[in-house]
Amino acid sequence: ITHPLPSLQEVGPTMVGDEHSDPSLMSFLGATKRNMLGNNFSEYYVNEAPRVVLNKLESCGYRVVSMTGVGQTLVWCLHKE
């Protein structure tokens, strides 16, 4: 038995990096660095849909290696060729 997922009308933010990410790549993506209350780490995010971010990363030589879902979160693993 399968249950169709409801259509999602909202997208974002898209998390694109952590505190150790390349600052020049984060700048290229237009990412903003933030520290969420209660977390002891920073993260970079953009307010664009994942497909827009993935297209930008592809233009820099990154390729999707795998993708999985964790709850309502999608996670992509990329590799730079």
Side-chain angles (χ1 to χ4, degrees), residues 2-31:
T2 61
H3 297 281
L5 295 174
S7 175
L8 298 177
Q9 301 299 321
E10 295 182 21
V11 175
T14 301
M15 301 305 153
V16 295
D18 62 18
E19 60 206 33
H20 305 291
S21 297
D22 178 4
S24 61
L25 180 59
M26 296 299 106
S27 177
F28 172 75
L29 295 175

Side-chain angles (χ1 to χ4, degrees), residues 31-47:
T32 303
K33 189 176 183 180
R34 70 178 177 189
N35 188 317
M36 299 294 287
L37 184 62
N39 289 346
N40 61 352
F41 59 89
S42 298
E43 59 192 11
Y44 284 94
Y45 74 98
V46 296
N47 284 321

Side-chain angles (χ1 to χ4, degrees), residues 11-14 46 48-57 74 76:
V11 175
T14 301
V46 296
E48 295 178 317
R51 66 175 173 78
V52 174
V53 176
L54 291 170
N55 286 343
K56 286 181 180 181
L57 289 167
L74 297 176
W76 285 271

